[in-house]
Amino acid sequence: MNDKVFTKPIKKQFEFDEEVAAVFDDMLERSVPFYKEAQKITEFFALKNLNENGRIYDLGCSTASTLLSIHRKLSNKAELIGLDNSEAMLTRARKKCEAYGADIEVCNADILSYDYKEADVFISNYTLQFIRPLVREELVKKIAVSLKKEGVFIFSEKVISHHPKLNKELIECYYDFKKEQGYSEYEIMQKREALENVLVPYSEEENIKMALNAGFSHCEVLLRWANFATFIAVKE
């Protein structure tokens, strides 16, 4: 189903409700530059670091697309767990897992308070940016503590520049991308207004610093397009 969420006037801040869940896969592919490439890189490093009988968490798993792709390529036995607090998203995730016969556990949970078991890999695709900064840093610390030695945290985020002119141009570049995907000027402005104070992005440097401060020994960018980036943080 095509994303038409912002073709009409908005009446509330952005939330992952039934209306968004119904078109979410289309929304991602049309709203996130090089989304499929970022997914492939995430899957590659997740599979490289997921050991036999290991465990992987996807925080903010939405419709479970990432975990399903990993499941399809999995050559060893592992526990795949997706967490989200949107029941509308999870309903679609469960239907997809059932359709593909995938043994993936998807749970309605608060990723901030969830009791994580030791894991090989954590994934977070465009989720941290929706968490208030102080709480965000605490979550990343919790992820680092829950990872095994040499475990990895792969996360994708919208990023900003602290150079005002460059940041403005990055936003313009992104809006041009969205127009090429068929979104109107009206839809772009509507979504921007809906996300105001809901999505709070960090700069590339701030994301790396956050990971290092949380206890990771190394963090770097795997992929970046303008104001979108995919990071990997390693625990040693």
Side-chain angles (χ1 to χ4, degrees):
M1 191 181 295
N2 289 340
D3 172 20
K4 300 286 185 185
V5 173
F6 295 100
T7 55
K8 56 187 182 298
I10 58 168
K11 296 178 181 177
K12 59 183 179 180
Q13 286 187 315
F14 184 84
E15 59 184 67
F16 295 99
D17 56 13
E18 175 60 37
E19 187 179 20
V20 170
V23 298
F24 192 66
D25 291 343
D26 177 67
M27 181 184 283
L28 277 179
E29 291 197 19
R30 291 173 60 213
S31 297
V32 179
F34 292 94
Y35 174 70
K36 287 184 177 177
E37 285 73 13
Q39 286 288 89
K40 285 175 187 174
I41 284 178
T42 298
E43 291 159 20
F44 175 84
F45 284 97
L47 288 163
K48 278 287 183 185
N49 290 279
L50 187 55
N51 298 308
E52 181 76 32
N53 295 314
R55 183 178 291 113
I56 179 171
Y57 286 103
D58 185 355
L59 310 186
C61 66
S62 63
T63 64
S65 294
T66 303
L67 288 176
L68 279 164
S69 293
I70 290 169
H71 183 271
R72 279 194 285 269
K73 297 171 185 172
L74 202 60
S75 57
N76 54 9
K77 188 178 179 184
E79 190 177 357
L80 279 60
I81 304 165
L83 306 178
D84 208 292
N85 64 357
S86 167
E87 192 55 42
M89 290 289 190
L90 292 169
T91 297
R92 279 166 172 75
R94 292 184 189 106
K95 286 178 181 175
K96 284 165 70 172
C97 291
E98 189 178 337
Y100 289 108
D103 185 15
I104 297 171
E105 182 183 351
V106 291
C107 309
N108 191 326
D110 179 352
I111 62 174
L112 303 172
S113 60
Y114 187 82
D115 186 18
Y116 298 103
K117 295 178 183 176
E118 193 175 53
D120 302 271
V121 180
F122 274 81
I123 292 171
S124 168
N125 288 319
Y126 311 102
T127 300
L128 297 181
Q129 62 198 24
F130 289 102
I131 299 171
R132 287 186 297 110
L134 288 175
V135 184
R136 188 181 314 182
E137 315 238 339
E138 289 304 311
L139 173 61
V140 177
K141 286 178 185 174
K142 192 171 182 178
I143 291 167
V145 168
S146 303
L147 276 169
K148 292 179 181 176
K149 189 178 179 183
E150 297 184 348
V152 298
F153 175 35
I154 308 157
F155 60 104
S156 294
E157 290 283 289
K158 196 171 184 182
V159 294
I160 59 167
S161 170
H162 288 299
H163 186 286
K165 181 174 181 291
L166 181 55
N167 194 59
K168 182 173 180 289
E169 289 170 354
L170 285 170
I171 292 168
E172 287 176 9
C173 180
Y174 174 51
Y175 287 172
D176 282 350
F177 166 83
K178 292 194 78 170
K179 289 173 190 172
E180 287 170 5
Q181 304 309 306
Y183 286 111
S184 68
E185 190 88 41
Y186 180 75
E187 287 174 284
I188 293 168
M189 290 305 108
Q190 287 275 99
K191 187 170 185 181
R192 181 177 182 178
E193 188 178 331
L195 287 169
E196 194 76 36
N197 300 320
V198 175
L199 191 161
V200 183
Y202 282 176
S203 67
E204 179 181 316
E205 295 77 15
E206 286 166 340
N207 275 294
I208 291 172
K209 185 180 178 183
M210 173 179 66
L212 297 177
N213 288 344
F216 288 95
S217 56
H218 181 77
C219 183
E220 66 178 78
V221 172
L222 294 173
L223 175 71
R224 177 163 177 175
W225 181 96
N227 50 1
F228 285 80
T230 299
F231 302 82
I232 186 166
V234 183
K235 179 180 178 180
E236 288 180 0

